[in-house]
Amino acid sequence: NSISELVFTCLTSLLTQMTVDDEIIFFCDGNDYVDKLKMICNKYHVNYKLLTFDYKSASKIHYESTIYINSNETHDQIYICEDDYLHFDGSLYKIKEFLKKYPNYFCQ
């Protein structure tokens, strides 16, 4: 019915595939969907962080995510997903398996 519904349907598919070892970080440009994000993350018992900004600019949000990742160096796998990516059931498992098999590759 709407792009918002499509994004949340795909996000729900992704969240249901997450394990207790996974964490998702949301970089939100504004507070429009914060309550809905909290609700669905809590519903599926997902480890999550919400970082909110008020830029109304995709490039500034990309900058914030880059700064965050660089300042929180980790040896864990990081998968960056914008809200225009679609996920299907089983996709997160396939992404994880790809990264385990090819740890030096970038998967998009």
Side-chain angles (χ1 to χ4, degrees), residues 15-106:
L15 296 178
T16 59
Q17 298 174 62
M18 292 177 64
T19 67
V20 295
D21 297 324
D22 297 324
E23 178 185 44
I24 189 166
I25 303 171
F26 296 100
F27 293 85
C28 301
D29 198 2
N31 292 313
D32 296 347
Y33 298 105
V34 167
D35 290 337
K36 190 169 183 178
L37 289 170
K38 287 179 183 178
M39 182 202 58
I40 62 174
C41 285
N42 291 331
K43 177 179 179 179
Y44 295 105
H45 309 287
V46 171
N47 296 320
Y48 71 96
K49 289 181 186 170
L50 275 164
L51 304 175
T52 58
F53 306 91
D54 194 23
Y55 294 137
K56 305 299 183 228
S57 165
S59 62
K60 288 183 180 179
I61 292 299
H62 286 261
Y63 175 77
E64 290 292 345
S65 62
T66 302
I67 294 295
Y68 182 89
I69 290 166
N70 287 336
S71 65
N72 292 282
E73 289 184 24
T74 178
H75 296 290
D76 295 334
Q77 301 287 350
I78 297 174
Y79 173 61
I80 298 174
C81 174
E82 295 186 36
D83 63 0
D84 55 349
Y85 284 83
L86 302 180
H87 290 86
F88 54 89
D89 292 340
S91 63
L92 185 60
Y93 171 78
K94 290 179 182 194
I95 292 167
K96 288 179 182 180
E97 287 302 307
F98 175 88
L99 291 171
K100 284 179 190 171
K101 188 173 181 179
Y102 305 104
N104 296 321
Y105 282 75
F106 176 75

